[in-house]
Amino acid sequence: MVPMKDLKERRPAKRLSISRQAFLRASLALASSPLLRYLPAQAANGAEVIEVAPGVFVHQGLYELQSPQNRGDMANASFVVGGEAVAVIDTLGSAVAGRELRDAIRAVTNKPIRYVINTHMHPDHVFGNAAFKQDNPAFVGHYKLGRGLGSRAERYLMINKKMLGEEAFEGIEIILPTIGVEDSLSLDLGGRNLVLEAQRTAHTDNDLTVTDTATDTLFLGDLLFSVHVPTLDGSIKGWLALLDELSRKEAARVVPGHGPHTMDYPDALTPEQTYLAAIAADVRKLINDGKTLEDAMESAGFSQREAWKLFDHYHVRNVTAAFAELEWE
Ligand SMILES: [Zn+2]
């Protein structure tokens, strides 16, 4: 671990802080008016980002489904600036949004973008990858990411073309990882390391976590949802078991895949654990009582309805996935 003092000293502080202040002022001015957020003028300023720890920047996505208005900007995306290079963690849901993220990086630093890390295969985390092709980075993901994204590519492209519309869909490409992480991998950004860990099947079968050891910041991707209802595309049993394991770890802060820029750890995990546990308990009881999937779709986990945004859009799908898995216990 690099002491924080060293990191600060290695940053060309003066130039950086001037450009960042100007950038943040512009971002804050835009952020204060929700109507202004999507004007093309913002592209020049880049995506709105907050520095949550020294050299760690996070953009917060909207709690929405993809649309022409939000251009797939619905997940969190981050970047970490080391002494020599930059790593991007997720790239938003379109090439347009990815370019704005890249502009935000360029407003902070001119260091090469050496790594683009995708925390998992979902379009709102990977469809901005094309915006970074010009940097010729290594694209890094869980070793199962390529297979998962590759097999769903056609369907993901079709759905997103429809939901984003022609303009926001422009430039989207499926870019598969050039480096697959099977267990763990350390990336050196110069004076600070990112530790990547491939996780068991949970939110998906290709969830990758990232730890910035210099600031003890943990990036959980969609293993952690806050405010936005969790979406289950892997294994409810695996996810609950992994959350139990993760909750015994320590970190100075966590960046969720959907939710605030940064949260306290491990407290941030609790609402999601409660949500998934409620579904699992209700579905198991219904199965034991000889009830059907249709019964479950009408009742399982509905005690959680008021706690989450987008509940009505995703919850029944979560119950369906949980039922299919728990039926065979
Ligand atoms: Zn996801």
Side-chain angles (χ1 to χ4, degrees):
M1 185 189 290
V2 180
M4 202 77 88
K5 193 168 152 282
D6 286 5
L7 263 178
K8 274 190 185 138
E9 278 166 9
R10 278 175 214 188
R11 295 163 73 209
K14 211 168 184 182
R15 211 181 128 264
L16 261 183
S17 63
I18 289 165
S19 66
R20 194 166 59 237
Q21 271 171 15
F23 166 66
L24 284 177
R25 262 200 309 276
S27 299
L28 284 171
L30 283 163
S32 63
S33 163
L35 283 175
L36 277 174
R37 276 199 71 171
Y38 310 116
L39 288 180
Q42 203 204 340
N45 296 312
E48 182 193 335
V49 294
I50 288 180
E51 187 170 19
V52 300
V56 180
F57 296 81
V58 181
H59 168 76
Q60 185 184 338
L62 299 161
Y63 303 124
E64 296 178 359
L65 305 179
Q66 61 270 64
S67 69
Q69 290 72 36
N70 67 31
R71 302 147 304 124
D73 178 3
M74 326 101 64
N76 295 346
S78 309
F79 58 96
V80 180
V81 184
E84 287 161 21
V86 182
V88 184
I89 304 170
D90 287 341
T91 58
L92 304 176
S94 68
V96 180
R99 272 200 296 279
E100 291 183 12
L101 177 65
R102 191 178 179 281
D103 287 347
I105 296 171
R106 282 296 167 247
V108 170
T109 176
N110 283 319
K111 287 172 187 166
I113 298 167
R114 202 169 286 162
Y115 302 103
V116 172
I117 302 160
N118 292 128
T119 59
H120 64 293
M121 65 181 165
H122 286 151
D124 49 335
H125 300 259
V126 305
F127 270 11
N129 281 10
F132 296 92
K133 258 176 40 174
Q134 59 187 299
D135 300 294
N136 200 27
F139 288 91
V140 191
H142 189 292
Y143 78 104
K144 289 184 180 170
L145 171 65
R147 188 176 64 192
L149 181 54
S151 69
R152 290 186 184 194
E154 219 169 299
R155 187 156 59 88
Y156 279 172
L157 289 169
M158 191 185 73
I159 292 168
N160 280 273
K161 189 169 187 176
K162 203 164 147 193
M163 293 185 78
L164 290 170
E166 291 285 334
E167 208 174 307
F169 186 77
E170 180 75 37
I172 289 178
E173 271 180 63
I174 301 281
I175 298 184
L176 301 179
T178 52
I179 298 178
V181 182
E182 267 196 63
D183 180 25
S184 70
L185 177 71
S186 181
L187 302 178
D188 184 3
L189 303 181
R192 79 193 298 164
N193 287 313
L194 298 184
V195 177
L196 281 48
E197 289 171 276
Q199 303 293 345
R200 71 178 89 182
T201 301
H203 168 63
T204 67
D205 76 352
N206 50 82
D207 302 313
L208 184 79
T209 58
V210 181
T211 303
D212 172 45
T213 55
T215 62
D216 200 19
T217 302
L218 177 61
F219 302 86
L220 281 184
D222 281 3
L223 289 172
L224 176 58
F225 283 77
S226 176
V227 186
H228 182 306
V229 71
T231 66
L232 174 62
D233 191 17
S235 159
I236 193 163
K237 280 163 72 175
W239 200 350
L240 279 164
L242 180 57
L243 287 170
D244 190 44
E245 212 174 274
L246 288 169
S247 69
R248 286 192 287 272
K249 286 184 152 199
E250 285 181 14
R253 66 192 65 74
V254 62
V255 177
H258 297 265
H261 297 84
T262 180
M263 301 175 77
D264 290 337
Y265 194 80
D267 296 359
L269 302 177
T270 309
E272 181 176 82
Q273 285 176 301
T274 304
Y275 173 78
L276 294 173
I279 293 181
D282 288 355
V283 166
R284 280 187 175 121
K285 185 172 186 310
L286 288 160
I287 291 169
N288 284 339
D289 291 350
K291 304 288 188 192
T292 62
L293 170 63
E294 285 67 33
D295 298 322
M297 286 163 70
E298 281 168 15
S299 65
F302 275 76
S303 60
Q304 286 284 304
R305 189 166 188 221
E306 298 312 314
W308 301 94
K309 288 193 177 181
L310 299 174
F311 184 95
D312 290 344
H313 192 80
Y314 290 110
H315 178 72
V316 170
R317 283 197 244 175
N318 292 338
V319 170
T320 306
F323 195 97
E325 181 182 348
L326 298 174
E327 201 175 17
W328 300 104
E329 276 186 317

